[in-house]
Amino acid sequence: MGWIFYSFIYAIFNAIYMQYNEKHHYNGYLLGIIRGFGISFMVLPFYFFLNIKLSFLYFAILILQGIMIGIYDSHIFFASSKFGSRSTFGFMATSVFVTLVLWWGIEFKDLANLLEKKSSLLSLIFILMGVTISYWEMMRVHINSDAEKYLYPAVFSLALMSIATRYIALNSPKMYEGLICYLSISCFVSGFYNLVMFIFFNTSNKKQMLERPSVRSMGWLVLFSFILICAKTIALRIATNPVFVVAMLLLSPLISEILKKGKLKASIEMLCFLFFVILLIMFSFNLQ
């Protein structure tokens, strides 16, 4: 049951994270630099004090994770600023099935176990289809081809990040050691990635490039990003399948609406979405 709590915290701070740039319209690469380096420098001293020994594979995955974070951060920030959070959130629903397919490709034993229980496999597919379709209907996702092309890297990055985060969390001797490695190394790489993109490949207009977040605003960005990553990592360590956590992340737009308007307008589509999310949670207990 713990993964549900941490996934919900993840969804809450992801909503704040997305809403942040829809309101301010800062440069996406700049926010990625602040977020990546800010978290890394805050946690880096703990890494040296703990004397953590990393295998080559573990270190390589931490580096790869940092690159994927950089891609995801910049695309999400720019997309939420340019296309709005609803279109951005809505299209990210495709990451649910992408995560599932990639996870089954990497952890084939998980799929093999479900194939032995065909009713469980069919139930999972049915629930995920229900989650995705009702979510799309609730968000009324209609985005142009430019937005679609721009968001696809974020979709695949989120799926790969979720799987890599689970590996990082499960293959560290202790939970906090995996978190510190993630926060210090992967976040530093993501900040460096966005720095390179900001210097050499920045195509945003000059006015936006000149805008700078205030010190207070940067502090809040680093803080809620720190909480988001910690909650996500713990949730992915506990959950039996990373797709459960990604599906719970889709609660973010509902939370975002409550944060902005102080209320939530109910609809048939939203009730259907919540119904399938509850089914997914119940299904996860049957796999434990």
Side-chain angles (χ1 to χ4, degrees), residues 17-205:
Y17 173 75
M18 291 282 288
Q19 197 176 330
Y20 179 88
N21 208 35
E22 184 182 10
K23 178 181 178 181
H24 295 287
H25 300 281
Y26 293 129
N27 183 283
Y29 295 134
L30 180 61
L31 293 181
I33 294 168
I34 295 166
R35 183 178 186 265
F37 286 143
I39 294 174
S40 180
F41 291 150
M42 182 174 67
V43 177
L44 196 58
F46 294 98
Y47 176 82
F48 292 107
F49 280 122
L50 290 175
N51 192 29
I52 302 171
K53 296 181 180 179
L54 305 177
S55 68
F56 175 79
L57 178 61
Y58 196 84
F59 185 74
I61 290 175
L62 286 168
I63 299 297
L64 180 61
Q65 177 79 331
I67 295 171
M68 290 186 293
I69 293 170
I71 295 171
Y72 177 77
D73 279 356
S74 58
H75 278 73
I76 286 296
F77 274 134
F78 277 124
S80 61
S81 176
K82 186 175 181 179
F83 306 115
S85 61
R86 288 190 69 84
S87 294
T88 303
F89 268 124
F91 192 75
M92 291 304 293
T94 55
S95 62
V96 172
F97 271 102
V98 173
T99 303
L100 185 68
V101 172
L102 290 175
W103 172 250
W104 280 346
I106 295 170
E107 288 291 333
F108 187 75
K109 290 181 180 179
D110 190 39
L111 176 60
N113 291 335
L114 285 174
L115 286 171
E116 293 179 0
K117 303 175 183 178
K118 292 182 175 59
S119 60
S120 294
L121 176 63
L122 293 174
S123 296
L124 179 58
I125 297 298
F126 170 74
I127 292 170
L128 292 180
M129 285 180 64
V131 166
T132 306
I133 293 170
S134 58
Y135 186 83
W136 273 67
E137 287 298 316
M138 178 181 68
M139 299 300 291
R140 295 286 191 271
V141 178
H142 300 290
I143 59 176
N144 59 43
S145 58
D146 290 337
E148 186 176 329
K149 290 176 183 177
Y150 191 78
L151 283 168
Y152 266 126
V155 168
F156 281 93
S157 293
L158 177 60
L160 289 168
M161 280 166 55
S162 300
I163 295 170
T165 301
R166 181 171 171 80
Y167 177 88
I168 292 167
L170 287 176
N171 288 276
S172 59
K174 298 177 181 178
M175 170 63 74
Y176 67 86
E177 290 184 357
L179 272 172
I180 289 171
C181 290
Y182 187 125
L183 294 167
S184 58
I185 299 174
S186 296
C187 287
F188 180 87
V189 173
S190 73
F192 184 78
Y193 168 89
N194 280 290
L195 178 62
V196 171
M197 296 299 288
F198 183 79
I199 295 172
F200 297 105
F201 302 103
N202 202 333
T203 57
S204 60
N205 61 64

